[in-house]
Amino acid sequence: MIFESLPTTPRSEELLDKAFSRAARSGRAKSGLEAQESMLQTASSILSDNLENVVTEWPDFGTVDPFYYELADAIVDVDELRQSLSEVTWASRQIAEIRREYQSKMRKSDPDTARKHRKQAFARMADIVEEIADDLLRVGEARDSLKNLPDIRPNEPAIVVAGYPNVGKSSFVNRVTRASNEIARYPFTTKGVQIGHFERDRIRYQIIDTPGLLDRPEEDRNDIEKQAASALEHLADAVLFVVDASGACGYPLDVQMELRDAVAARFAERDVPVITVCNKSDRSTDAEADYYMSIETDEGVEEVLDAAVDAVGWSPDIPPSRQE
Ligand SMILES: Nc1nc2c(ncn2[C@@H]2O[C@H](COP(=O)(O)OP(=O)(O)OP(=O)(O)O)[C@@H](O)[C@H]2O)c(=O)[nH]1
Ligand SMILES: [Mg+2]
């Protein structure tokens, strides 16, 4: 997960406290002009290094995988975040600039004048850091909400399981992934997104159950859900659309098929195959589907999995970076 390694973002007061108290300590170890120079050097490098570090661990949103972009954008406003990151970069450079300016002013000056310059430099640096206080807060909040996102990897093949509630999506994911499941909390759905893994021909597949995201018509979704659905469109290499012909799920089949058509149309734009699977075949098979299965009796389940793997179309002999 690319957001996992993001470091904590300091708040402006914390950063200033740290920089100026270290500077005071380094000044106490010396005297005269040397003390003032050392203080300037210490404070400015703590400030500009820390500000730079805030930015460098973030991925470049201009080139990041679209799945991550959409995902991040569903949770934080990426445009605002990028703006704040560039303000922080600006501040880091300003601090370095101020240091250079006062270093040359202090050169060969007497200790009293040097002290005056050093104080002036500190005041200007503090102004700069205070100016970006809100940006640091915004970056810190974004980092906190993105850091613990579940580990979905855009460079591993992904099979997305979609369909109306109660049709047996979770039962299927549980059945094919056994105990290797992880229920992940995403901020845009009250139910957890479930991510399971299974292996075929040494390739690891992610299988993702998406409650609350692809189980309603597009127009019933709010903006954040739309964004999350869009992230899934970027991620999926194949979609299993599960229907329940028995009606036990509580939704008539024609309504389920309408949603299937809408989902299929959306994914067709990205050339992602959508396979229609009629589940609960122990009760009814009265639906036009590509495959029929029953989680209850285990009939047809392996065939559905094979079909999904085929649809993904990865070859075990090609490295992941060159698949597709
Ligand atoms: N008879 C029968 N019941 C099944 C089958 N598969 C699942 N069920 C039942 O259908 C109900 C719903 O299954 P879930 O797997 O929770 O359905 P879901 O699609 O994940 O539902 P949401 O998480 O609400 O979207 C459960 O009571 C299952 O036991 C099947 O093949 N046959
Ligand atoms: Mg479920």
Side-chain angles (χ1 to χ4, degrees):
M1 187 70 199
I2 53 169
F3 301 117
E4 205 173 273
S5 58
L6 294 173
T8 46
T9 306
R11 285 177 299 115
S12 53
E13 316 86 81
E14 278 168 5
L15 192 52
L16 289 171
D17 277 356
K18 179 171 153 188
F20 293 152
S21 64
R22 293 262 184 90
R25 209 184 310 154
S26 81
R28 277 198 294 275
K30 303 186 173 66
S31 63
L33 175 61
E34 209 190 334
Q36 301 305 321
E37 282 175 337
S38 165
M39 287 173 80
L40 178 69
Q41 173 64 35
T42 304
S44 66
S45 49
I46 287 177
L47 291 176
S48 58
D49 289 356
N50 276 275
L51 291 174
E52 201 184 307
N53 287 342
V54 164
V55 179
T56 48
E57 289 299 320
W58 281 90
D60 175 1
F61 281 102
T63 57
V64 80
D65 187 286
F67 166 70
Y68 282 131
Y69 188 100
E70 303 275 348
L71 185 62
D73 208 33
I75 298 164
V76 301
D77 186 326
V78 170
D79 279 344
E80 280 184 8
L81 172 61
R82 291 175 85 173
Q83 182 63 36
S84 286
L85 288 168
S86 71
E87 294 294 330
V88 174
T89 302
W90 167 85
S92 168
R93 291 188 187 141
Q94 283 302 109
I95 303 273
E97 191 54 45
I98 293 171
R99 183 193 62 215
R100 275 191 291 278
E101 186 185 329
Y102 283 87
Q103 252 171 355
S104 60
K105 278 189 182 167
M106 279 160 75
R107 201 162 293 147
K108 291 184 193 131
S109 65
D110 61 89
D112 265 357
T113 320
R115 188 160 173 275
K116 248 179 251 161
H117 284 320
R118 195 267 304 156
K119 282 187 151 182
Q120 217 176 61
F122 275 20
R124 285 182 57 189
M125 289 178 187
D127 283 349
I128 300 283
V129 175
E130 274 153 22
E131 211 175 305
I132 58 151
D134 288 348
D135 296 298
L136 287 173
L137 285 179
R138 178 176 292 140
V139 172
E141 278 166 17
R143 178 261 184 198
D144 292 346
S145 26
L146 293 174
K147 188 181 167 66
N148 293 319
L149 283 179
D151 193 14
I152 294 183
R153 303 179 190 173
N155 54 354
E156 280 184 8
I159 297 162
V160 166
V161 183
Y164 263 95
N166 265 317
V167 296
K169 301 184 299 294
S170 303
S171 305
F172 175 72
V173 172
N174 285 333
R175 157 64 181 81
V176 300
T177 57
R178 303 262 148 88
S180 65
N181 272 339
E182 165 194 354
I183 303 274
R185 296 281 152 211
Y186 273 105
F188 42 74
T189 163
T190 49
K191 304 178 182 183
V193 170
Q194 199 183 354
I195 308 160
H197 299 96
F198 67 93
E199 207 170 295
R200 277 290 164 89
D201 290 334
R202 304 187 312 280
I203 297 173
R204 196 172 94 130
Y205 292 83
Q206 312 174 91
I207 183 159
I208 297 157
D209 182 10
T210 59
L213 292 180
L214 295 173
D215 61 3
R216 268 165 305 153
E218 167 95 15
E219 58 270 21
D220 293 355
R221 294 183 204 146
N222 66 33
D223 285 349
I224 285 173
E225 288 166 343
K226 279 186 188 142
Q227 194 97 43
S230 167
L232 284 174
E233 280 162 28
H234 286 289
L235 178 76
D237 296 293
V239 176
L240 290 174
F241 193 92
V242 182
V243 299
D244 171 357
S246 76
C249 68
Y251 301 91
L253 185 63
D254 57 340
V255 170
Q256 298 182 55
M257 285 305 196
E258 260 172 47
L259 181 62
R260 194 274 318 262
D261 292 344
V263 167
R266 293 290 299 267
F267 282 93
E269 286 169 28
R270 318 198 151 274
D271 284 325
V272 176
V274 175
I275 300 168
T276 307
V277 179
C278 175
N279 186 34
K280 309 193 189 177
S281 63
D282 54 297
R283 291 196 166 178
S284 169
T285 53
D286 197 10
E288 256 185 65
D290 300 311
Y291 291 89
Y292 299 83
M293 70 176 181
S294 166
I295 308 297
E296 196 77 16
T297 66
D298 213 36
E299 197 192 318
V301 174
E302 284 303 318
E303 286 82 350
V304 169
L305 204 57
D306 289 343
V309 165
D310 277 354
V312 166
W314 275 41
S315 156
D317 306 318
I318 302 173
S321 59
R322 296 215 266 114
Q323 302 273 358
E324 266 147 318

